[in-house]
């Protein structure tokens, strides 16, 4: 029992450390004007988010976040910087009162909203009352796939995954059309 | 980056492992963390690393644009095709139960196929997006 308590304390410490890293990264991204450093920091931000997902036992999500957010996005942003410039166009603005008020009110509303949310991992939470029980109970035997995440993604929620794949397909087609991979002039 | 010997050699050494790991994530996604999306991104990242170190033109020779374009569509078509296969075999759209003699192996086969479709489309899309971005800078356009 004491061992379990110790585990929970360590978990909380890890969570606090990772979340404060996230906050530091966010402030750094806001304050830096060298866009190369900003891209690197946002890559680190993704990696820390992935670590947070790991502590929440969501390894599949962490995997995706590390690969897409930490890897591909960073490379694409660097490619964009290579095409444009890595210096931010500085515009020193006066302190704007109205945007500050809007941000404060929105933030306060969001924090007020979290007070109503079920605590993390609560089995009585509404999201666990609907179909999750059935997926967990019969998923592995009905689909023959031990990883429930894969079973839900590919089988129970097959339509949604097809939609996601269509989104990626459309993104690829859009980039090809906009940046002109198809009409690229050959060298020579 | 073409003159950096260490990067060139390291990339060459890492390449087979990255691609193999992508295939592992793809086909082991049924049992452990991973699946089509992650595998596709890792596979694409392998090509992107190659293009970064050896140049986009060399990478394009390994993955020519017309082939990649066909693969983008092929993955999505495989996914939708599995859906229609269920329809034609007497089930509903994306119903894998009817794909094989018993429902469980049908489910397993269907999940394997749609995950493969996801992986191929994601990998090809990542490669295309990167080549398009990087290719523009090299052409000077």
């Amino acid at each position: 029992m004491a061992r379990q308590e110790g585990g929970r304390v360590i978990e909380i410490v890890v969570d606090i450390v990772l979340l404060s890293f996230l906050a530091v990264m966010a402030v750094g991204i806001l304050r830096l004007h060298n866009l190369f450093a900003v891209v690197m920091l946002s890559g680190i931000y993704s990696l820390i988010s992935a670590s947070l997902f790991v502590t929440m036992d969501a390894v599949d999500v962490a995997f995706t976040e590390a690969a897409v957010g930490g890897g591909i996005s960073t490379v694409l942003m660097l490619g964009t910087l290579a095409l444009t410039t890595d210096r931010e166009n500085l515009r020193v603005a006066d302190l704007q009162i109205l945007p500050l008020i809007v941000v404060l009110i929105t933030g306060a509303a969001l924090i007020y909203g979290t007070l109503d949310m079920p605590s993390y991992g609560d089995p009585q939470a509404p999201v666990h009352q609907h179909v999750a029980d059935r997926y967990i109970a019969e998923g592995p035997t009905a689909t023959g796939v031990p990883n429930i995440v894969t079973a839900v993604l590919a089988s129970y929620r097959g339509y949604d995954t097809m939609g996601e794949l269509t989104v990626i397909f459309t993104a690829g087609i859009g980039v090809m059309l906009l940046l002109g991979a198809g009409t690229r002039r050959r060298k020579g | 980056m073409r003159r950096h010997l260490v990067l060139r050699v390291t990339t060459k050494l890492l390449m087979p492992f990255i691609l193999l790991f992508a295939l592992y994530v793809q086909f082991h996604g049924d049992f452990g963390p991973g699946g089509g999306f992650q595998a596709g991104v890792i596979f694409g990242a392998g090509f992107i690393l190659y293009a970064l170190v050896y140049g986009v033109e060399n990478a394009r020779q390994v993955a020519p644009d017309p082939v990649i374009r066909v693969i983008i569509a092929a993955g999505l078509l495989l996914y939708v095709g599995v859906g229609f296969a269920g329809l034609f075999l007497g089930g509903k759209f994306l119903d894998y139960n009817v794909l094989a003699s018993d429902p469980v192996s049908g489910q397993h086969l269907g999940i394997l196929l749609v995950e493969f479709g996801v992986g191929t489309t994601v990998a090809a899309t990542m490669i295309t997006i990167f080549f398009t971005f990087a290719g523009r800078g090299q052409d000077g356009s």
Side-chain angles (χ1 to χ4, degrees):
Chain A
M1 199 63 201
R3 207 189 163 101
Q4 220 171 15
E5 285 298 310
R8 280 208 49 78
V9 170
I10 289 172
E11 213 167 86
I12 290 169
V13 170
V14 168
D15 279 351
I16 290 173
V17 168
L18 287 176
L19 283 170
S20 39
F21 269 152
L22 277 189
V24 170
M25 290 300 147
V27 173
I29 289 171
L30 276 178
R31 296 200 61 86
L32 280 175
H33 295 296
N34 184 344
L35 293 181
F36 181 79
V38 169
V39 170
M40 285 300 143
L41 280 186
S42 58
I44 298 172
Y45 190 96
S46 293
L47 211 57
I48 296 171
S49 313
S51 319
L52 266 175
F53 292 140
V54 171
T55 64
M56 293 167 130
D57 286 337
V59 269
D60 285 83
V61 186
F63 207 160
T64 314
E65 178 64 34
V68 179
I72 299 282
S73 306
T74 311
V75 171
L76 286 182
M77 294 301 265
L78 287 180
T80 314
L81 289 189
L83 290 180
T84 55
T85 171
D86 64 350
R87 296 297 304 175
E88 193 177 359
N89 219 347
L90 266 183
R91 223 164 26 97
V92 184
D94 303 328
L95 183 65
Q96 304 259 340
I97 295 297
L98 185 65
L100 186 67
I101 293 173
V102 171
V103 166
L104 285 179
I105 291 176
T106 314
L110 286 174
I111 291 172
Y112 177 70
T114 60
L115 298 180
D116 219 17
M117 277 170 66
S119 60
Y120 171 67
D122 181 7
Q124 299 304 317
V127 70
H128 298 308
Q129 297 298 313
H130 186 41
V131 285
D133 284 342
R134 189 165 70 83
Y135 291 168
I136 294 169
E138 70 172 46
T141 48
T143 62
V145 170
N147 183 358
I148 296 176
V149 178
T150 303
V152 170
L153 268 184
S155 185
Y156 290 110
R157 288 282 170 266
Y159 274 101
D160 303 54
T161 309
M162 195 177 79
E164 283 168 30
L165 193 60
T166 315
V167 168
I168 290 178
F169 173 79
T170 316
I173 300 292
V175 167
M176 274 199 272
L177 286 175
L178 285 174
L179 295 181
T183 59
R184 207 177 59 90
R185 287 187 307 272
R186 298 269 166 212
K187 272 188 190 162
Chain B
M1 236 184 262
R2 290 173 202 203
R3 266 178 269 164
H4 289 62
L5 186 67
V6 174
L7 285 179
R8 289 172 66 100
V9 173
T10 317
T11 306
K12 212 174 250 179
L13 281 176
L14 277 177
M15 208 61 194
F17 294 106
I18 294 175
L19 299 186
L20 193 66
F21 182 59
L23 291 177
Y24 167 79
V25 171
Q26 171 81 54
F27 293 109
H28 202 259
D30 301 359
F31 306 100
F37 280 99
Q38 294 92 331
V41 171
I42 293 172
F43 205 82
F47 277 84
I48 290 174
L49 177 67
Y50 186 85
L52 278 174
V53 174
Y54 287 90
V56 177
E57 284 308 316
N58 282 325
R60 264 189 218 271
Q61 286 180 350
V62 185
D65 283 351
V67 176
I68 292 291
R69 241 172 277 163
V70 169
I71 293 175
I72 291 182
L76 186 58
L77 281 176
L78 175 64
Y79 200 124
V80 180
V82 171
F84 276 110
L87 208 58
F88 286 130
L89 288 171
K92 295 170 186 150
F93 188 67
L94 284 176
D95 180 3
Y96 311 141
N97 283 345
V98 291
L99 290 179
S101 47
D102 66 300
V104 173
S105 50
Q107 284 283 342
H108 210 147
L109 178 69
I111 289 175
L112 202 69
L113 285 176
V114 298
E115 288 280 358
F116 188 64
V118 170
T120 48
T121 291
V122 170
T125 307
M126 291 304 155
I127 293 171
T128 302
I129 293 178
F130 179 75
F131 281 7
T132 314
F133 269 63
R136 263 174 82 91
Q138 289 202 337
D139 288 354
S141 53

